């Protein structure tokens, strides 16, 4: 039963072109099925890559520590609200596997130059801060160890501050007043990718040496010397996060004088655990989507079979005639199989187009990331072909098995 | 017609259909011989087994018993592929309802049998055009069936039957759907083709139509009632 080649292909093509509406309707199921499979796999792949990116990104390797009210015991016996100290930070930095450890000491302060006034988040930083937050400079210099040591009045400003205070002028080297205290602009930060932080403008920021911030703007804490309000710790490796979290806890309990069994007066937020759960649920989602795509393809296949069966009935006389004129059973079988195949090729291509259009459309939506991948396109297309042949076989065999005499007499 | 070769030979041909309890003998022990170049009309009442016979001669149906030899080959020895090849190369069919594909032009309809010829002949279009010219429709190649009269449609069907140069033309009531004037037209064409050497087996109800043939076999209830040479044939043709 060798494929008879071009004649059959031409015959099938002509038959499809002669009945454009029938062709369209028949392949509609395939079109939708392929579009569904394609876009669902693309969504799945998109979120998989997104998760991977996040897993390896700095966010996935970081944890935050904040002071907390101790939650147990009578109110009068509870510990007061206590920040952390530079000592804590130095100890934490020594834990093996820590990529960066930084603290924050921040305050929203007024900022002015000759032209305008504004208000921005001042962040008192140490040397690890830029690294830990993936920040880069686009102009000027970073804050150095000696700036920190000497409590220099220098500032590195974010893009929102640049826009509102400078309006196209080069800010580096100019002087601005933070909380009425003159600072020299040392550097300018690049645009911060604030995806997922939609409510806060992360670019409305001013970085100053933490020593300077504490001394000249925020002031000391009556409980803790060299206080820091929050800690941010980035691990070199995601696998170490649990261990690092434990060691951070040990250091803090010691420095804060917590007795064994006493509830901690701080909280550690380890994001990687949440993220892994999210990744898992997204994987489940994409599996679900793929299953739905498979089901719609299957429905498309049944549609092909259905309309092809109708078409075989409709063309019974034609089949009988062809047999009387010398067509073999295999010729008829191949004619209909080829039609089914062409229908699925057509449906597959149109479905890919539709899926691609849908994925373009999804670019304008926030939560869904779609990926254009040749593999996915080929897979979706290939499944259409398989479906076409599998579901085209029954009608084709029925056509080939017709009795020519009865077929010719068919009304 | 000098002593010519035997083209068709039927031996004790029987076809039995079972309908519930009763059995119908559509053909009952029929034997006859047709020589190459003959023009034979088969007549008989409705249900006398004419179409059954023709389907068997054309390799579309198998007898319950007995044998058909065409060109010396026993059809019962052919498998379905060989039967397809036999229909394609040896036989040309003409049907009462023309059986043209409505979406295709006359030329495309005529080419149809050549699609199934192996190996594929060169110049299929030329062959189809020549065949259409042979039935007097050389100027209608691009017309679709709906754009042709009944007689013209039947001529296209005849051209289609002829395009593969068959040894035998089998026509089942070719004039059944035509008026008497057009029928005469088609019959003169068949007569002309027979004059060019084509063997024709024609089935008809109509004695007038049968008069164009050289020999008339009459069927009754699956049996041959009579088998006569038609002496008036040439006269009739001249009269018209
Ligand atoms: N597939 C079948 N099943 C059962 N009986 C059949 C079948 N085909 C034909 N017959 C019967 O065989 C007999 C001969 O039928 P056939 O078609 O050969 O007649 P016919 O001479 O061609 O008649 P008409 O002139 O009406 O075309 C009829 O009685 C018919 O009912
Ligand atoms: Mg009949």
């Amino acid at each position: 039963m060798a494929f008879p080649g071009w004649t059959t292909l031409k015959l099938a093509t002509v038959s499809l072109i002669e009945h454009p509406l029938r062709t369209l309707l028949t392949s509609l199921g395939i079109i939708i099925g392929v579009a569904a499979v394609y876009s669902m796999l693309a969504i799945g792949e998109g979120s998989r890559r997104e998760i991977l990116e996040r897993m390896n990104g700095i966010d996935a390797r970081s944890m935050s520590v904040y002071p907390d009210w101790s939650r147990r015991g009578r109110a009068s016996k509870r510990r007061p609200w206590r920040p952390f100290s530079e000592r804590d930070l130095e100890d934490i930095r020594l834990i093996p596997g820590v990529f960066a450890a930084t603290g924050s000491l921040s305050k929203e302060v007024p900022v002015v130059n000759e032209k305008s006034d504004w208000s921005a988040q001042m962040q008192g930083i140490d040397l690890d801060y830029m690294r830990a937050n993936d920040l880069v400079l686009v102009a000027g210099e970073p804050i150095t160890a000696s700036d920190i040591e000497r409590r220099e009045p220098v500032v590195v400003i974010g893009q929102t501050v640049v826009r509102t205070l400078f309006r196209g002028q080069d800010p580096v080297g100019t002087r601005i007043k933070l909380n009425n205290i003159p600072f020299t602009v040392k550097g300018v930060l690049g645009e911060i990718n604030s995806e997922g932080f939609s409510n806060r403008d992360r670019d409305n920021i001013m970085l100053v040496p933490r020593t300077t911030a504490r001394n000249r703007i925020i002031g000391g804490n009556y409980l803790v010397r060299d206080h820091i309000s929050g800690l941010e710790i980035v691990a070199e490796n995601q696998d170490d996060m649990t261990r690092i979290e434990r060691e951070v806890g040990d250091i803090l309990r010691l420095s804060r004088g917590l007795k064994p069994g006493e509830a901690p007066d701080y909280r550690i937020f380890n994001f990687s655990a949440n993220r892994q759960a999210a990744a898992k649920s997204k994987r489940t989602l994409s599996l679900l989507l793929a299953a739905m795509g498979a089901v719609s393809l299957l429905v498309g296949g049944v549609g092909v079979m259905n309309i092809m069966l109708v078409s075989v009935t409709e063309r019974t006389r034609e089949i009988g005639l062809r047999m009387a004129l010398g067509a073999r059973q295999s010729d008829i079988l191949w004619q209909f199989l080829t039609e089914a195949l062409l229908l699925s090729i057509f449906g597959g291509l149109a479905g890919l187009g539709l899926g691609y259009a849908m994925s373009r459309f999804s670019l304008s939506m926030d939560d869904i990331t779609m990926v254009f991948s040749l593999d996915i396109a080929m897979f979706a297309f290939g499944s259409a072909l398989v479906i076409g042949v599998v579901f085209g076989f029954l009608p084709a065999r029925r056509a080939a098995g017709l009795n020519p005499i009865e077929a010719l007499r068919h009304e | 017609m000098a002593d010519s070769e035997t083209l068709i030979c039927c031996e004790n041909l029987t076809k039995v259909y079972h309908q519930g309890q009763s059995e119908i003998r559509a053909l009952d022990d029929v034997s006859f011989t047709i020589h190459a170049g003959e023009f034979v009309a088969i007549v008989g009442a409705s249900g006398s087994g004419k179409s059954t016979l023709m389907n068997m001669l054309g390799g579309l149906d198998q007898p319950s018993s007995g044998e058909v030899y065409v060109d010396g080959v026993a059809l019962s020895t052919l498998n379905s592929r060989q039967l397809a090849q036999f229909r394609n190369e040896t036989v040309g069919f003409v049907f009462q309802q023309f059986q043209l594909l409505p979406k295709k032009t006359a030329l495309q309809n005529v080419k149809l049998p050549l699609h199934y010829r192996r190996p594929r002949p060169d110049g299929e279009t030329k062959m189809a055009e020549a065949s259409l010219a042979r039935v007097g429709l050389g100027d209608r190649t691009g017309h679709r069936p709906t754009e042709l009269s009944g007689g013209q449609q039947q001529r296209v069907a005849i051209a289609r039957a002829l395009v593969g140069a068959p040894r035998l033309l089998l026509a089942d009531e070719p004039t059944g759907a035509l008026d008497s004037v057009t029928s005469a037209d088609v019959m003169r064409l068949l007569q002309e083709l027979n004059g060019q050497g084509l063997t024709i087996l024609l089935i008809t109800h109509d004695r007038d139509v049968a008069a164009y043939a050289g020999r008339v076999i009459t069927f009754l209830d699956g049996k041959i009632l009579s088998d006569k040479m038609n002496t008036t044939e040439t006269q009739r043709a001249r009269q018209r």
Side-chain angles (χ1 to χ4, degrees):
Chain A
M1 200 177 70
F3 184 65
W6 290 115
T7 317
T8 310
L9 204 60
K10 223 173 91 187
L11 205 67
T13 313
V14 166
S15 156
L16 292 182
I17 291 172
E18 277 173 353
H19 304 87
L21 188 66
R22 189 184 74 194
T23 302
L24 183 71
L25 288 178
T26 312
S27 46
L28 204 59
I30 294 274
I31 293 177
I32 292 170
V34 166
V37 165
Y38 174 81
S39 49
M40 283 167 184
L41 287 178
I43 288 173
E45 176 67 12
S47 54
R48 197 181 66 84
R49 287 199 196 169
E50 193 186 22
I51 288 158
L52 263 182
E53 230 161 69
R54 287 204 190 155
M55 295 280 252
N56 301 327
I58 213 154
D59 279 357
R61 291 183 284 127
S62 43
M63 62 184 100
S64 307
V65 192
Y66 296 105
D68 194 12
W69 301 107
S70 52
R71 269 161 290 176
R72 248 182 275 159
R74 292 167 55 176
S76 59
K77 282 193 176 174
R78 279 183 199 158
R79 291 170 175 280
W81 178 271
R82 283 192 304 173
F84 308 106
S85 74
E86 296 285 353
R87 262 297 297 279
D88 293 338
L89 194 56
E90 274 157 35
D91 290 344
I92 287 168
R93 214 168 265 152
L94 293 178
I95 298 173
V98 168
F99 168 74
T102 185
S104 77
L105 191 65
S106 64
K107 192 182 179 187
E108 172 110 10
V109 296
V111 49
V112 301
N113 64 358
E114 307 85 53
K115 288 180 189 154
S116 26
D117 55 9
W118 183 243
S119 160
Q121 191 74 20
M122 180 205 66
Q123 180 66 270
I125 69 161
D126 50 54
L127 283 178
D128 268 7
Y129 189 85
M130 300 265 289
R131 208 145 72 107
N133 287 284
D134 240 355
L135 301 181
V136 287
L137 286 181
V138 292
E141 301 287 323
I143 286 165
T144 63
S146 87
D147 290 335
I148 294 168
E149 200 176 317
R150 294 202 209 138
R151 303 171 188 175
E152 295 284 0
V154 291
V155 61
V156 168
I157 56 178
Q159 286 296 324
T160 303
V161 182
V162 173
R163 266 196 300 276
T164 48
L165 290 190
F166 293 95
R167 302 200 181 110
Q169 257 180 295
D170 182 13
V172 176
T174 63
R175 314 202 83 193
I176 56 177
K177 283 185 174 172
L178 273 66
N179 223 7
N180 247 338
I181 300 161
F183 276 74
T184 306
V185 177
K186 221 189 157 190
V188 176
L189 289 174
E191 196 89 39
I192 297 164
N193 175 19
S194 49
E195 196 188 314
F197 295 87
S198 44
N199 290 333
R200 226 181 78 210
D201 178 9
R202 295 219 300 161
D203 288 304
N204 192 19
I205 194 173
M206 305 180 295
L207 306 181
V208 301
R210 191 152 59 232
T211 48
T212 318
R214 191 183 294 119
N215 252 17
R216 311 199 51 176
I217 295 176
I218 290 176
N221 183 279
Y222 70 104
L223 281 173
V224 180
R225 210 177 111 81
D226 295 338
H227 73 286
I228 303 173
S229 49
L231 304 175
E232 187 87 24
I233 300 142
V234 181
E236 269 163 17
N237 204 315
Q238 211 187 9
D239 303 336
D240 294 336
M241 303 258 318
T242 318
R243 176 182 54 80
I244 290 172
E245 181 182 341
R246 205 172 50 238
E247 292 192 35
V248 167
D250 292 346
I251 288 168
L252 291 179
R253 289 187 79 86
L254 195 68
S255 88
R256 294 161 91 82
L258 298 177
K259 297 186 197 79
E262 195 176 352
D265 58 350
Y266 60 85
R267 281 181 80 178
I268 301 180
F269 296 90
N270 184 344
F271 297 116
S272 68
N274 293 340
R275 291 242 165 74
Q276 271 158 3
K280 210 175 261 174
S281 77
K282 279 212 174 180
R283 248 195 310 266
T284 319
L285 178 75
S286 64
L287 259 174
L288 196 77
L289 292 178
M292 278 167 60
V295 167
S296 44
L297 250 187
L298 216 65
V299 171
V302 173
V304 166
M305 181 160 78
N306 189 26
I307 299 197
M308 292 227 17
L309 280 173
V310 171
S311 158
V312 167
T313 310
E314 230 171 47
R315 291 156 74 186
T316 299
R317 256 156 64 123
E318 175 189 334
I319 295 162
L321 173 73
R322 286 179 185 277
M323 286 175 158
L325 298 182
R328 301 170 178 180
Q329 288 189 332
S330 63
D331 290 329
I332 303 292
L333 185 79
W334 273 112
Q335 182 187 341
F336 280 88
L337 261 190
T338 311
E339 269 185 39
L341 197 68
L342 284 177
L343 275 172
S344 357
I345 289 175
F346 167 71
L349 289 178
L352 282 185
L354 185 66
Y356 184 78
M358 274 160 62
S359 65
R360 294 307 297 211
F361 173 71
S362 82
L363 286 181
S364 56
M365 296 193 292
D366 265 356
D367 264 6
I368 299 173
T369 322
M370 268 186 150
V371 157
F372 314 115
S373 141
L374 191 64
D375 285 357
I376 290 177
M378 273 162 44
F379 175 79
F381 188 65
S383 354
L385 296 196
V386 170
I387 288 280
V389 171
V390 167
F391 284 91
F393 191 75
L394 184 76
R397 212 186 47 180
R398 175 168 295 186
L402 285 174
N403 175 330
I405 301 168
E406 281 164 22
L408 274 168
R409 241 189 254 139
H410 191 266
E411 283 311 312
Chain B
M1 216 173 292
D3 194 23
S4 51
E5 61 178 307
T6 300
L7 186 62
I8 300 173
C9 177
C10 295
E11 284 180 355
N12 311 106
L13 215 49
T14 301
K15 180 74 180 182
V16 183
Y17 290 111
H18 296 276
Q19 207 117 60
Q21 295 294 327
S22 64
E23 60 166 43
I24 299 164
R25 295 190 159 263
L27 286 179
D28 194 359
D29 200 26
V30 173
S31 302
F32 63 91
T33 304
I34 292 174
H35 297 282
E38 272 194 284
F39 186 172
V40 181
I42 295 186
V43 296
S46 184
S48 57
K50 307 182 295 289
S51 296
T52 307
L53 174 72
M54 195 191 90
N55 291 336
M56 248 158 248
L57 297 182
L60 288 169
D61 202 358
Q62 281 85 44
S64 307
S65 66
E67 185 63 87
V68 180
Y69 298 90
V70 178
D71 222 3
V73 178
L75 294 191
S76 68
T77 63
L78 302 183
N79 62 26
S80 80
R81 281 185 149 220
Q82 291 164 325
L83 277 174
Q85 187 184 359
F86 165 77
R87 291 196 289 266
N88 185 254
E89 292 178 358
T90 311
V91 188
F93 285 100
V94 178
F95 306 95
Q96 180 174 358
Q97 299 301 333
F98 319 145
Q99 306 281 13
L100 299 174
L101 297 183
K103 296 257 179 180
K104 301 204 183 288
T105 63
L107 188 73
Q108 288 166 333
N109 268 292
V110 172
K111 270 164 107 175
L112 216 50
L114 301 178
H115 284 306
Y116 301 110
R117 180 65 58 95
R118 264 162 266 239
R120 292 290 296 272
D122 295 329
E124 287 176 14
T125 304
K126 282 230 169 61
M127 290 166 76
E129 280 167 354
S131 193
L132 275 167
R134 208 170 154 196
V135 300
L137 288 176
D139 55 346
R140 295 287 203 284
T141 54
H143 288 56
R144 280 170 217 286
T146 46
E147 300 158 359
L148 295 169
S149 72
Q152 287 170 330
Q153 288 185 55
Q154 194 59 297
R155 281 163 180 269
V156 173
I158 292 169
R160 180 181 61 195
L162 295 178
V163 72
R167 303 219 53 198
L168 171 67
L169 191 77
L170 293 175
D172 193 349
E173 310 252 16
T175 60
L178 302 176
D179 61 64
S180 57
V181 178
T182 325
S183 295
D185 213 35
V186 166
M187 288 316 297
R188 273 200 300 274
L189 173 64
L190 290 183
Q191 219 170 33
E192 191 185 317
L193 293 170
N194 175 245
Q196 292 162 15
L198 182 68
T199 312
I200 300 176
L201 199 89
L202 164 84
I203 289 173
T204 182
H205 275 111
D206 191 339
R207 289 270 164 198
D208 284 345
V209 167
Y212 285 86
R215 174 180 167 195
V216 179
I217 303 179
T218 308
F219 270 73
L220 181 66
D221 293 337
K223 292 194 174 92
I224 294 179
L225 188 69
S226 68
D227 185 347
K228 292 181 193 147
M229 296 311 262
N230 209 340
T231 47
T232 55
E233 170 209 351
T234 35
Q235 279 177 329
R236 262 202 113 109
R238 269 194 218 113
Q239 276 168 10
R240 308 235 162 177

